[in-house]
Amino acid sequence: MNFENNENLEMIGQMAKDFAEKEIRPHFMEWDETQHFPKDLFHKLGELGMMGVFVPEEYGGAGLGYFEYITVIQEIAKVCGSIGLSVAAHNSLCTGHILSFGNEEQKQKYLPKLATGQWVGAWGLTEANTGSDAMRMQCVAKKDGDHWVLNGTKNWITHGISGDVAVVLARTGEPLDSHGITAFIVERGTPGFKGGKKENKLGMRASETAELIFEDCRIPEANVLGKVGDGFVQAMKILDGGRISIGALALGIAKGAMDASVQYSKERQQFGKPISSFQAISFKLADMATEIEAAELLLQNAADLKNRGQKVTKISAMAKYYASEVSVRVSTDAVQIFGGYGYTKDFPVEKFYRDCKLCTIGEGTSEIQKLVISREILS
């Protein structure tokens, strides 16, 4: 394994960093306070190739690999976790699902719009009563001639209202049948398809999270992704890669909190000297740096395996689990280092503290990651 940065990777990282500083930092707290989803920002990201990082150039994407992808997400998340989350969900889930399982006609139709940021994508698996227990989903699709009729609701969907197209998993067979679920591409504007309640969240407030509602929504047969009944198996493979992106998101938040803590500890004076000179603070920083380094190595290992087309189920779960928990610990310590100021919205660590918790929940909770890991090592 060779995780050394190359010139191209450094250039992409700098591009993402410059974009975040110029286009995101001046506005991120306003977006957070108002729960504003800045959709125009994602069109700009698309112009730079960051909405189709691993989509081949023939479909309008950047044609890059997972090292570039996790670098982009980290640099954005260092400034704002919400924007990092939306970039991750768009790339890994909706766009990634069509790229991995779509036929040529579907790829030609949807990938150019998604990869260039002209369209923002959503991905619908979770329901109100079936989070981790996805095979009991109640959203149902029934065949009617050359169409499928979709009925039901999806919850906790990134871009549920603003997304231009969604990949939706619906039950086409019996409950608990792993081959009884099918993936469909559903365009915004399709009769019977609408966004529902927007969630009022603790963190990640500028990343829109809302319901998808389907009422006798007719989907043409041409919009079935892969084979009928393969949706659940497809979704589990997509989540393997998606966990890498959430690991990168968590790592970016942790690095942002760490950077802010280092800077503040050098500037803040107590008892006539900077607080970084006190062991209580310097040891916190040492622990933060060590855990971030370990999380990054796990993530890079997962990215390397993914690039080489090898199975990533165990290592991506490990990377997602560890990085997300590290992000919570680092952000918590960052608030402590800032003291009273860390509890205010005038300093960035308050937002890192709120945003990081989602990483331990979304795309499989930490408990589910442990379940995945233990099954892999015991199989």
Side-chain angles (χ1 to χ4, degrees), residues 123-128 130 134 137-140 150 152-157 160 167-171 181 194 196-197 199 210-214:
W123 193 75
L125 174 66
T126 303
E127 298 179 7
T130 58
M137 68 172 58
Q138 297 301 304
C139 190
V140 174
L150 189 58
T153 304
K154 297 291 179 179
N155 294 65
W156 309 107
I157 308 305
V167 172
V168 181
L169 285 300
R171 185 159 56 81
I181 293 171
K194 63 181 180 180
K197 175 191 174 186
E199 302 296 341
E211 293 176 318
L212 299 178
I213 299 173
F214 304 95

Side-chain angles (χ1 to χ4, degrees), residues 19-42 44-45 76 79-84 86 198-208 345 351 354-355:
F19 182 91
E21 291 296 332
K22 180 183 177 182
E23 301 288 347
I24 301 174
R25 191 174 293 281
H27 311 290
F28 74 96
M29 282 307 296
E30 175 192 347
W31 295 339
D32 182 81
E33 289 285 304
T34 60
Q35 289 204 94
H36 172 65
F37 175 63
K39 191 172 182 180
D40 288 347
L41 181 78
F42 295 90
K44 294 179 182 179
L45 281 161
I76 293 172
V79 175
C80 180
S82 293
I83 306 304
S86 280
K198 180 178 178 178
E199 302 296 341
N200 186 8
K201 300 175 295 183
L202 168 72
M204 302 290 194
R205 290 168 59 82
S207 179
E208 179 186 274
K345 293 183 181 293
K351 184 173 181 297
R354 288 185 291 108
D355 285 349

Side-chain angles (χ1 to χ4, degrees), residues 145-376:
D146 58 357
H147 282 71
W148 291 82
V149 181
L150 189 58
N151 281 286
T153 304
K154 297 291 179 179
N155 294 65
W156 309 107
I157 308 305
T158 305
H159 314 144
I161 295 170
S162 298
D164 298 284
V165 64
V167 172
V168 181
L169 285 300
R171 185 159 56 81
T172 51
E174 295 300 316
L176 301 180
D177 179 3
S178 61
H179 293 283
I181 293 171
T182 302
F184 300 89
I185 302 172
V186 188
E187 294 183 34
R188 187 70 61 182
T190 302
F193 171 36
K194 63 181 180 180
K197 175 191 174 186
K198 180 178 178 178
E199 302 296 341
N200 186 8
K201 300 175 295 183
L202 168 72
M204 302 290 194
R205 290 168 59 82
S207 179
E208 179 186 274
T209 305
E211 293 176 318
L212 299 178
I213 299 173
F214 304 95
E215 297 173 340
D216 293 329
C217 180
R218 294 180 65 83
I219 311 299
E221 181 74 29
N223 283 32
V224 173
L225 269 168
K227 295 179 180 178
V228 172
D230 280 356
F232 182 79
V233 175
Q234 293 173 8
M236 294 305 101
K237 290 179 180 177
I238 292 300
L239 287 173
D240 277 350
R243 286 168 183 147
I244 297 174
S245 66
I246 299 300
L249 175 66
L251 187 59
I253 292 171
K255 286 182 175 181
M258 171 84 184
D259 290 347
S261 298
V262 170
Q263 181 180 343
Y264 181 80
S265 71
K266 291 177 178 179
E267 296 171 351
R268 172 69 167 167
Q269 296 267 336
Q270 288 289 276
F271 305 102
K273 53 187 175 180
I275 63 172
S276 59
S277 65
F278 298 119
Q279 192 176 84
I281 302 300
S282 63
F283 276 21
K284 279 189 188 299
L285 294 171
D287 286 339
M288 292 159 76
T290 302
E291 290 199 300
I292 285 172
E293 190 79 15
E296 185 156 32
L297 286 169
L298 266 174
L299 194 64
Q300 288 176 327
N301 191 12
D304 179 60
L305 289 172
K306 187 70 175 174
N307 277 346
R308 291 191 280 123
Q310 297 190 16
K311 185 178 180 181
V312 296
T313 303
K314 182 180 75 172
I315 196 67
S316 66
M318 286 179 169
K320 193 270 189 189
Y321 164 56
Y322 188 71
S324 62
E325 295 292 342
V326 163
S327 188
V328 170
R329 289 194 291 270
V330 167
S331 297
T332 301
D333 280 346
V335 171
Q336 198 70 20
I337 288 169
F338 274 73
Y341 291 114
Y343 205 66
T344 72
K345 293 183 181 293
D346 296 326
F347 290 83
V349 293
E350 173 270 345
K351 184 173 181 297
F352 289 131
Y353 183 70
R354 288 185 291 108
D355 285 349
C356 67
K357 188 58 188 171
L358 183 277
C359 297
T360 70
I361 298 169
E363 293 196 37
T365 62
S366 289
E367 291 74 20
I368 288 295
Q369 304 313 313
K370 291 181 185 180
L371 183 64
V372 171
I373 295 163
S374 61
R375 282 178 176 172
E376 287 294 309

